Amino acid sequence: MENNEKEYGKLQWLFFVIIIPMLFTGVLVLIILSVAGFDVAGKAGKTFKEIPLLTSGEGNDAAGDNSADALEKKQVKLQSENDRLSEEVSALKLDLQILENDKQKGEKEVARLKQENSSLEQLLLQKEEEKEGQSKDISKVYSKMSSKKAAEILPQLNNDEALRILNSMSDTQLAGVLGKMSTEEAAKFTALLTNSNE
């Protein structure tokens, strides 16, 4: 019985002195490594897969390699898609910048054309005023002229000029000039005067 107790004492000593402290130390190391950011479970799984145990284990290893290859291919594909989309975004930004520049140029051109149009309208108005002033001066000359002389000259002018001169005359002067014209010319100028007053 003493022999039995000694063996039991040796097993007990082995258990309490070696096995329990080793387990405690291992758990403590795992906790410290996990807190430090080390992937203990991932490393252990990878190490376990690398141990050639059975054929089924090798098959799992091959499946792991295939899934790793598939993940890597997906990652490469996603990266290339990301690169392509980034290039498209860059191209679209460049197109947008070009369009904005074109829009600004167009707005400047429209402003320049409006200003030019305004200048041309003012110039045209000045020319019309000058022409009207000249017409008034010419009308004064024709007003001072004898009705017979005016009746001879007016048919020689173009219709617009003749009409302008006739419109500026007083009713008595107009009647005198039309009375000195031939019947055809008087009818023509009367029709022109009637149409211009409508």
Side-chain angles (χ1 to χ4, degrees):
M1 185 145 178
E2 276 183 31
N3 202 6
N4 245 353
E5 276 183 35
K6 281 188 180 180
E7 259 187 61
Y8 184 72
K10 286 182 182 178
L11 283 176
Q12 198 175 17
W13 179 83
L14 179 69
F15 185 73
F16 284 115
V17 174
I18 294 177
I19 294 176
I20 290 179
M22 280 180 61
L23 284 173
F24 179 76
T25 305
V27 168
L28 188 62
V29 167
L30 286 175
I31 291 172
I32 291 172
L33 289 175
S34 293
V35 169
F38 188 75
D39 186 18
V40 177
K43 288 287 185 181
K46 190 175 179 184
T47 305
F48 180 72
K49 285 182 181 178
E50 290 175 359
I51 298 173
L53 294 175
L54 299 171
T55 310
S56 62
E58 289 173 9
N60 286 342
D61 189 31
D65 286 345
N66 286 341
S67 66
D69 287 344
L71 285 174
E72 190 173 324
K73 286 179 183 177
K74 267 188 181 177
Q75 184 179 6
V76 168
K77 185 178 178 182
L78 289 173
Q79 184 62 40
S80 66
E81 182 71 15
N82 188 26
D83 292 344
R84 185 185 65 80
L85 290 174
S86 295
E87 288 174 7
E88 283 184 20
V89 167
S90 297
L92 288 172
K93 283 182 180 177
L94 183 63
D95 288 346
L96 181 63
Q97 185 64 38
I98 290 169
L99 287 173
E100 286 177 358
N101 289 343
D102 288 348
K103 179 185 171 191
Q104 289 175 354
K105 286 178 185 176
E107 288 172 351
K108 287 178 183 177
E109 184 67 16
V110 165
R112 186 188 66 78
L113 288 173
K114 282 183 179 179
Q115 186 177 6
E116 192 174 301
N117 188 31
S118 176
S119 298
L120 288 173
E121 284 176 355
Q122 286 179 343
L123 186 62
L124 185 62
L125 191 61
Q126 280 179 335
K127 292 290 181 186
E128 285 179 6
E129 287 173 358
E130 287 175 11
K131 195 172 186 179
E132 196 175 304
Q134 289 173 351
S135 284
K136 285 181 181 179
D137 292 343
I138 292 173
S139 296
K140 286 179 185 176
V141 170
Y142 275 90
S143 298
K144 292 178 183 176
M145 210 181 273
S146 69
S147 298
K148 184 178 179 187
K149 196 73 171 161
E152 290 174 5
I153 297 172
L154 282 172
Q156 305 299 321
L157 299 175
N158 71 37
N159 289 342
D160 290 336
E161 291 174 357
L163 191 60
R164 214 175 287 124
I165 293 169
L166 289 171
N167 272 329
S168 66
M169 291 182 176
S170 67
D171 291 341
T172 55
Q173 290 172 330
L174 183 61
V177 171
L178 288 175
K180 301 289 179 179
M181 288 183 180
S182 68
T183 311
E184 294 87 18
E185 290 172 346
K188 176 180 125 181
F189 285 114
T190 302
L192 287 173
L193 284 166
T194 305
N195 290 337
S196 72
N197 291 332
E198 289 179 352

